[in-house]
Amino acid sequence: VQLVESGGGLVQAGGSLRLSCSASGVSFDDRAIGWFRQAPGKEREVVSSISSSDGSKYYADSVKGRFTISSDSAKNTVYLQMNSLKPEDTAVYYCATGPPWTVYAGIVNAVEYDDWGQGTQVTVSS
């Protein structure tokens, strides 16, 4: 099982990036796929998660209205469209799989998620 994130980079505040999370060796069926981020000196925090079963979504308050999560089952890929980026969005972004109930309950915690990718760096300059 391997998840691979891509799409990170350097962008100015107010700009956009689209991250991708692709899976090999695992199907997203009946799983939630979450995006998390970790800034230097801070704990890993949830950004968003989507249930592959019915497309239910969860967003952290800090990204609501700016980020959009989506999935393409044919490509076994989950995307995170990030708009209106802020310097505080700077972090390494990771994707991972987890149980769908975390999305339905609105309790998306990194400890419930597995199969972590290597991460992709997002840097937002002011």
Side-chain angles (χ1 to χ4, degrees):
V1 174
Q2 183 176 9
L3 298 182
V4 178
E5 303 94 339
S6 62
L10 173 64
V11 65
Q12 288 187 333
S16 299
L17 285 173
R18 188 178 80 156
L19 305 183
S20 299
C21 172
S22 299
S24 62
V26 66
S27 170
F28 284 160
D29 289 349
D30 300 322
R31 300 288 287 169
I33 301 87
W35 283 100
F36 298 80
R37 66 188 181 187
Q38 187 165 18
K42 295 187 177 181
E43 293 186 354
R44 189 167 298 188
E45 63 177 3
V46 62
V47 176
S48 182
S49 188
I50 184 168
S51 168
S52 63
S53 300
D54 63 1
S56 295
K57 303 171 183 179
Y58 169 88
Y59 294 98
D61 288 343
S62 59
V63 305
K64 281 181 181 177
R66 300 188 299 123
F67 291 9
T68 302
I69 192 170
S70 62
S71 64
D72 184 335
S73 58
K75 296 182 178 179
N76 224 25
T77 299
V78 171
Y79 304 98
L80 185 69
Q81 178 66 43
M82 306 187 296
N83 298 330
S84 302
L85 283 162
K86 304 175 181 180
E88 51 263 44
D89 294 318
T90 295
V92 178
Y93 283 70
Y94 302 88
C95 63
T97 65
W101 69 258
T102 60
V103 177
Y104 306 144
I107 307 174
V108 181
N109 193 313
V111 298
E112 299 286 351
Y113 281 64
D114 302 304
D115 306 321
W116 293 86
Q118 83 290 346
T120 186
Q121 176 71 47
V122 171
T123 303
V124 184
S125 63
S126 57

